[in-house]
Amino acid sequence: MLEMFYPDCREASAWSIDYAGWYEKGYRGVIFDIDNTLSVHGGPPPEETLELFRRLKALGFAACLVSNNKEPRVRPFACAVDVPYISKAGKPSVRGYEAAMARMGTDRAHTMFVGDQLFTDIFGARRAGLKSILVDPIDPHEEIQIVCKRYLEKIVLFFYARNSAS
C-alpha cells in the first residue's frame, strides 16, 4: 500500500542528478517542483539552479516547473530559469503534470519528475505515470503543515529503504 508513495529513485539534490545519463536513456523532459527542491521556500533561484537549467538546455532537455504555489511566486522563478510553468497545479492531481508535458512536447515515457515531497510531488508523478526522483529538502525550516507531513514521510521512507535493500 505504501508503494504508491515510493519514488523510482532518490538523490541528495536536484543538482546532483546525472541528467546526461537520463538523457542517454531516452528522457527528454524534466518537471520540477520549486520550493525546497530548487530553492529555499519562497526564495529566488540560487546560482546552482540557474546553472542547472543552462546545463539541461545544453543537453537538449525541455523543462517545466509545476507548483502548488500561486502565480506571483511561480512566474518570477520560471522567468529567471527561462522555462514554462504551471502554478496552482493541485498536486497530487495529474492535471499539472499533463499540462507540463503538453508545454514541453513530451510524453510519459520520456519525462521525469524531480521533487522533495512524497505525498504531493512523488505520488502525483506516479499517478501521472512519470519516472519520479525524490530529493532531500534544501532547508529544514518549513511551514508547519509541511513539517507534519515530513513525520509521515519518515515512516514511508523507512519502508521504502527496507524494501529497496531486499
Side-chain angles (χ1 to χ4, degrees):
M1 178 170 138
L2 294 178
E3 292 84 5
M4 70 180 98
F5 301 111
Y6 290 177
D8 291 303
C9 58
R10 290 188 73 181
E11 291 286 340
S13 73
W15 311 303
S16 66
I17 295 169
D18 177 14
Y19 294 100
W22 287 104
Y23 194 87
E24 288 175 15
K25 292 177 184 175
Y27 288 87
R28 296 297 180 262
V30 187
I31 301 171
F32 289 95
D33 174 50
I34 298 174
D35 287 325
N36 250 350
T37 298
L38 295 172
S39 76
V40 296
H41 187 80
E47 184 54 41
E48 297 96 336
T49 295
L50 297 173
E51 176 56 34
L52 169 61
F53 280 87
R54 288 189 289 267
R55 197 168 30 124
L56 289 171
K57 287 177 187 173
L59 285 169
F61 272 105
C64 188
L65 305 176
V66 173
S67 176
N68 286 347
N69 278 305
K70 296 177 182 170
E71 189 163 355
R73 163 65 177 140
V74 182
R75 183 178 11 88
F77 197 100
C79 288
V81 296
D82 193 27
V83 298
Y85 66 91
I86 310 296
S87 59
K88 294 174 65 177
K91 294 181 288 183
S93 168
V94 300
R95 72 176 168 79
Y97 300 90
E98 290 171 343
M101 286 184 283
R103 291 189 184 172
M104 293 186 300
T106 61
D107 60 22
R108 287 171 169 78
H110 301 98
T111 305
M112 54 197 249
F113 178 83
V114 178
D116 70 295
Q117 292 189 51
L118 290 179
F119 302 126
T120 52
D121 298 334
I122 301 304
F123 182 47
R126 287 185 56 95
R127 292 180 69 220
L130 303 178
K131 178 70 70 177
S132 61
I133 301 175
L134 178 68
V135 295
D136 296 337
I138 293 171
D139 186 1
H141 302 99
E142 298 177 296
E143 296 174 347
I144 188 65
Q145 71 271 17
I146 296 173
V147 171
C148 293
K149 284 194 278 184
R150 295 286 187 207
Y151 287 109
L152 296 172
E153 284 184 354
K154 286 181 183 181
I155 297 167
V156 175
L157 291 172
F158 169 82
F159 288 104
Y160 168 76
R162 192 170 85 179
N163 289 346
S164 297
S166 46

